[in-house]
Amino acid sequence: MALAAPLTEIVSGIAGVGTNIRASGEYDPFKELAKLAEALAPAQAKVQEESGDQHAKLGDYPAAVEAYQKALVPYRHLGDRAKVMTILGNIGRLQVRQGQHDEAMANYNEALNFARDIGDVEAEGHLHQEIGRSYRLRKKYEP
């Protein structure tokens, strides 16, 4: 699995934190937990994203949306705007499939803002297509 290398790096980093604590003689459990959470955030986001992908492939759209929403939290915390944009687009697509067009529009528009911010014109075009598809499915031909 693609996560093996990042998880190995995280585990090594966690072991290093313990070594540094013993060497310095200082220990603040809250600081150490914060460091641990920070170290685990990328892996947590990736696991949730992949879970969303799998649920979507199986047609379990509510579970996929839930997993994607869980992935958003660490991606936002990490400042990964491209990943946030992608996840919001995925959520919107699944919401359209469930007939939740208003919710999808909110996610598409937020994703569109990220696409513009990072200069991803391909994603911007794709998101416009998805927005148009939602309007077409609702037979709403005027915004």
Side-chain angles (χ1 to χ4, degrees):
M1 178 179 244
L3 289 177
L7 287 177
T8 301
E9 291 172 20
I10 290 168
V11 170
S12 295
I14 293 167
V17 168
T19 302
N20 290 339
I21 292 168
R22 284 190 300 274
S24 70
E26 295 177 19
Y27 180 71
D28 181 342
F30 297 108
K31 282 185 182 178
E32 297 311 317
L33 285 174
K35 288 179 190 176
L36 178 60
E38 190 75 28
L40 292 175
Q44 176 192 13
K46 187 66 177 165
V47 166
Q48 291 298 333
E49 180 183 4
E50 288 182 3
S51 176
D53 293 344
Q54 292 306 311
H55 284 294
K57 286 178 187 173
L58 295 171
D60 188 353
Y61 302 143
V65 168
E66 183 179 336
Y68 285 140
Q69 287 171 334
K70 288 178 182 175
L72 276 177
V73 174
Y75 281 139
R76 285 184 194 275
H77 178 74
L78 294 166
D80 191 337
R81 295 183 301 166
K83 279 292 190 181
V84 171
M85 175 195 66
T86 299
I87 298 296
L88 288 168
N90 289 347
I91 291 171
R93 181 175 38 84
L94 295 174
Q95 288 169 323
V96 165
R97 289 183 180 178
Q98 296 176 88
Q100 301 168 348
H101 295 277
D102 292 336
E103 295 89 342
M105 284 300 164
N107 284 305
Y108 283 149
N109 284 318
E110 188 177 353
L112 202 51
N113 287 334
F114 279 105
R116 289 179 182 134
D117 287 346
I118 63 176
D120 189 336
V121 293
E122 184 177 345
E124 191 176 344
H126 179 73
L127 288 161
H128 280 294
Q129 285 180 317
E130 293 295 328
I131 290 168
R133 180 173 169 263
S134 177
Y135 280 126
R136 190 174 54 252
L137 289 170
R138 289 188 282 176
K139 299 184 184 332
K140 184 176 179 183
Y141 302 112
E142 293 182 30

